Amino acid sequence: MNKLLEIKNLSKNYNTKLGEIKAIDNISFDVYDQEFLCIIGSSGCGKSTLLNILADLDNFSSGKIIKNKNLKIGYMLQDDCLLPWLNILDNALLGLDIMNLKTKENINYVKGLLKKYGLEEFLEKYPNQLSGGMRQRVALIRTLAIKPDILLLDEPFSALDYMSRLVVSEDVANIIKQEKKTVIMITHDIAEALSLADRIIVLSKRPAVIKNIYNINLEGNSPLSRRKAKNFAYYYDLLWKDLDKNV
């Protein structure tokens, strides 16, 4: 498999009035082309810190991140962050606008994505006229608009109710698979991670270290079908035991 990213012995310290706090400690893993990698851990363990570092939104104290200088990373936040005064097309084009990449070719590319994933008739609508799931689709397409090599997803379904999370995870998994994207997603939801991931990294409580990395082999071609796999409970128990020790 083609390796896109190498993280070697990554650590992050914060200086506070009470002294230095270590957020993550000696984290090492690789990321491969077109894999779906989930990082799970208890709340406050440092998952978002790690993602922010990979997105170049935060620096790190020691270690290395090895990547091609042309590697492009897209970041999708927990909230869809759609601007209420912009219509759906303009929201989807926002990243291109900010990066001064709003060419005719790229606009047509985004329109094609919106059409491909069932949003063509909503181009002139506004965010408050869409369901939560449809808004998440727009947010993902906005992230895909810059044609990233790696997508970083920060608990992208956490703002949705349980049923919507199941439906939207199907949508997102389908889009990512069809667009052949590489994903690093953080979540604290074990079932959600198992339904989506090729590999799962389990982090300890802060300061976060890697407790285990699991290769996930579940039958099924979609998140919902993977949840019904015979060995789903086996993997769930493994991950729960790792997380349970964090409490």
Side-chain angles (χ1 to χ4, degrees), residues 173-232:
N174 178 51
I175 293 170
I176 287 167
K177 186 175 181 179
Q178 288 200 42
E179 300 305 315
K180 298 181 179 180
K181 293 300 178 182
T182 303
V183 175
I184 304 173
M185 186 179 94
I186 61 171
T187 182
H188 61 269
D189 188 316
I190 297 173
E192 186 172 86
L194 281 172
S195 72
L196 291 162
D198 301 308
R199 282 193 301 150
I200 295 177
I201 295 174
V202 183
L203 297 183
S204 71
K205 63 184 179 181
R206 193 176 68 190
V209 298
I210 292 179
K211 298 188 74 174
N212 273 307
I213 300 178
Y214 296 98
N215 293 310
I216 307 301
N217 183 19
L218 291 171
E219 293 181 356
N221 295 318
S222 70
L224 285 177
S225 63
R226 284 169 62 114
R227 287 173 184 260
K228 299 174 185 176
K230 292 179 181 178
N231 52 344
F232 187 90

Side-chain angles (χ1 to χ4, degrees), residues 53-157:
I53 290 171
L54 297 180
D56 289 329
L57 297 176
D58 200 353
N59 56 15
F60 51 92
S61 303
S62 62
K64 292 181 180 179
I65 298 176
I66 302 170
K67 60 183 178 180
N68 186 301
K69 65 178 181 179
N70 296 319
L71 189 80
K72 193 179 293 184
I73 293 178
Y75 198 168
M76 183 174 164
L77 302 171
Q78 289 182 21
D79 192 279
D80 59 61
C81 297
L82 300 185
L83 301 180
W85 58 88
L86 294 181
N87 64 31
I88 296 311
L89 177 58
D90 288 338
N91 264 292
L93 293 170
L94 187 60
L96 292 172
D97 216 358
I98 292 170
M99 298 175 70
N100 199 28
L101 295 172
K102 198 174 170 183
T103 63
K104 184 177 180 180
E105 179 186 353
N106 285 337
I107 291 170
N108 287 335
Y109 172 68
V110 171
K111 285 182 176 178
L113 288 175
L114 291 166
K115 179 180 179 180
K116 186 176 180 180
Y117 298 112
L119 293 163
E120 184 179 25
E121 62 184 277
F122 298 95
L123 299 190
E124 301 302 322
K125 302 291 185 182
Y126 288 84
N128 65 357
Q129 296 174 287
L130 271 62
S131 68
M134 293 171 74
R135 290 169 62 110
Q136 287 299 96
R137 247 183 288 165
V138 176
L140 179 57
I141 288 169
R142 180 184 58 202
T143 309
L144 291 172
I146 65 169
K147 300 178 182 176
D149 301 294
I150 297 177
L151 280 168
L152 304 180
L153 306 183
D154 184 358
E155 301 200 49
F157 316 123

